Amino acid sequence: MKKKLIFIISILVLLLQVSFIYSATTTSQQYCSSQSLINQNAPWYCNQINQAMVSYWEKWSPIAYLALFVSFDIALVIYLASVLLGNDKLKNIAYSEFYEAIATGLIVIGFLSLSATILGLGPSLIVNANPYITSLSYINNTIASTKAVVLQLFTISQKDYVYTKTSLGFCVSTTVSSYCVSNVVGVFSFAINYLFIIPASTLISFLMDGLTLLYGEFYLILLFMYAAIPVFLIPGIILRAILPTRSLGGLMIAIAIGFYIILPTLFSVAFYFTNTSLINQFNSQSSFLSTHSSGGDAQLNAAYQTSPLVTELNLAQQGLGSFWVSVLFYPILIFAMTYAIITQLAQFLGGAIKSSSRLKII
């Protein structure tokens, strides 16, 4: 009786494996057809990202099918051992492994359509555009406007610095005595130095720190745009199919989803609410500084408290708060939310992480 049961189970598992592989190899890309929900709501996915997904999957799919076979074979071996030994605990483990193998098989079969739904339809419901193009464009525009303000402040500061260090004197001699005046043009040097040069240098330092953060965020998003799928998502699916590496596979899938979907989408939303006003503010300040700093105006317009350049510099300092909210506060919040989502997804997909104060693989 046991031999018949073993034979029947083995045949069923083999047929299930063959049906999964056949279904996976014959599945067409209907998810990106002209009438599909994905193409109607996220045409940018079908036009841009889908080609890369298909290319990656064609290279990795044979290994994914092999991993799928291994996952079913592991479950079958455990089940056969439970039958031969009459161990109910092993049988429960085998049932669990069969369920996991079937889940992995469904992921493998519907990999491209699942990717289109998660990576395309998901972000389109929030930002209605390619989150990568949107977030990278927003960050790039912020970088450009910030650099324009820094350049104007630096140029004016250099002009004023040269003026404050320039000295011109003359002497008048008579038959009785001689009189010398040592610094005629430097009468406003003290005021220019403390009203404009020192505050401008401080503001430039803050803006340069912000530019460093913006470049870091830009290239981090760019890195995961290219690395998330081939480095994390597809290997994660393969590793999840194997019992000893299931936790690692679940963690890698969660990292791919978090950094490929959640991170750029949240950046798109955050910069959508702050980018326009911030760029308009910086462009206006850059234009104003350029207009009032030509020739000698760089000194005349920075020599007293209510002069145009000093007033504009004070306004720029007051608006620095919105800049740091966009550059520092929102990114910290985004990374915290992404990490929280990754931990929960990893625990759900493979039990890889316990949400605690440290990362722990179990």
Side-chain angles (χ1 to χ4, degrees):
M1 183 64 184
K2 287 185 178 181
K3 290 183 179 181
K4 290 183 178 180
L5 181 61
I6 290 173
F7 177 77
I8 293 172
I9 295 297
S10 301
I11 295 297
L12 290 175
V13 170
L14 179 60
L15 291 175
L16 190 59
Q17 289 175 320
V18 173
S19 65
F20 271 124
I21 301 302
Y22 177 78
S23 300
T25 54
T26 57
T27 301
S28 60
Q29 296 186 34
Q30 295 299 320
Y31 57 88
C32 265
S33 63
S34 58
Q35 302 299 323
S36 67
L37 183 64
I38 303 298
N39 204 2
Q40 291 178 0
N41 291 275
W44 51 266
Y45 178 87
C46 294
N47 297 333
Q48 299 167 7
I49 299 178
N50 184 59
Q51 286 79 358
M53 294 291 295
V54 173
S55 176
Y56 288 137
W57 185 240
E58 287 177 349
K59 297 176 181 178
W60 285 87
S61 57
I63 303 177
Y65 300 150
L66 178 61
L68 180 60
F69 271 112
V70 171
S71 64
F72 275 106
D73 292 339
I74 290 175
L76 178 60
V77 169
I78 296 175
Y79 182 81
L80 296 180
S82 69
V83 172
L84 293 174
L85 299 175
N87 191 318
D88 291 335
K89 290 184 178 179
L90 278 179
K91 188 174 293 185
N92 291 332
I93 295 174
Y95 289 150
S96 176
E97 288 305 310
F98 274 125
Y99 294 144
E100 291 290 349
I102 292 172
T104 303
L106 294 175
I107 293 175
V108 171
I109 291 174
F111 174 75
L112 292 175
S113 58
L114 286 173
S115 299
T117 303
I118 297 173
L119 306 181
L121 189 59
S124 70
L125 297 176
I126 302 175
V127 296
N128 197 28
N130 188 333
Y132 279 95
I133 293 179
T134 306
S135 57
L136 292 176
S137 297
Y138 283 162
I139 295 176
N140 185 64
N141 293 337
T142 306
I143 289 174
S145 60
T146 305
K147 288 170 65 176
V149 173
V150 170
L151 179 61
Q152 288 299 327
L153 289 174
F154 180 79
T155 302
I156 299 171
S157 298
Q158 288 302 303
K159 290 180 181 179
D160 289 349
Y161 181 79
V162 172
Y163 172 79
T164 59
K165 296 302 179 181
T166 301
S167 178
L168 177 65
F170 64 90
C171 294
V172 177
S173 297
T174 65
T175 56
V176 179
S177 62
S178 62
Y179 300 94
C180 294
V181 179
S182 60
N183 191 1
V184 177
V185 300
V187 63
F188 294 113
S189 298
F190 180 85
I192 293 174
N193 188 51
Y194 284 93
L195 289 177
F196 187 85
I197 295 178
I198 293 178
S201 300
T202 304
L203 183 58
I204 289 173
S205 177
F206 282 129
L207 292 178
M208 290 298 293
D209 291 338
L211 280 173
T212 303
L213 291 173
L214 285 171
Y215 273 113
E217 295 158 8
F218 183 90
Y219 285 110
L220 182 66
I221 294 175
L222 203 62
L223 170 66
F224 279 101
M225 183 174 71
Y226 289 103
I229 294 173
V231 176
F232 291 99
L233 183 61
I234 298 177
I237 291 173
I238 295 171
L239 293 174
R240 190 190 178 280
I242 305 171
L243 176 60
T245 59
R246 179 163 299 143
S247 295
L248 178 60
L251 175 59
M252 293 180 69
I253 295 173
I255 291 174
I257 294 175
F259 284 104
Y260 194 83
I261 305 172
I262 307 300
L263 187 70
T265 302
L266 291 179
F267 265 108
S268 298
V269 174
F271 275 89
Y272 173 80
F273 290 107
T274 61
N275 182 261
T276 303
S277 60
L278 184 62
I279 289 178
N280 290 338
Q281 173 189 333
F282 278 172
N283 289 341
S284 174
Q285 291 171 352
S286 176
S287 176
F288 186 91
L289 292 172
S290 177
T291 302
H292 291 81
S293 63
S294 58
D297 289 343
Q299 293 82 41
L300 296 176
N301 290 332
Y304 50 95
Q305 186 68 41
T306 57
S307 58
L309 291 179
V310 175
T311 302
E312 191 65 25
L313 182 62
N314 292 332
L315 292 175
Q317 291 174 332
Q318 294 173 7
L320 200 61
S322 60
F323 175 74
W324 284 115
V325 167
S326 178
V327 172
L328 185 61
F329 175 75
Y330 280 146
I332 290 176
L333 184 62
I334 288 170
F335 283 117
M337 293 176 63
T338 303
Y339 173 78
I341 292 172
I342 287 174
T343 57
Q344 296 303 315
L345 281 175
Q347 190 173 10
F348 174 75
L349 293 171
I353 291 180
K354 284 186 176 180
S355 183
S356 62
S357 60
R358 61 178 180 172
L359 203 64
K360 185 184 296 183
I361 298 180
I362 58 172

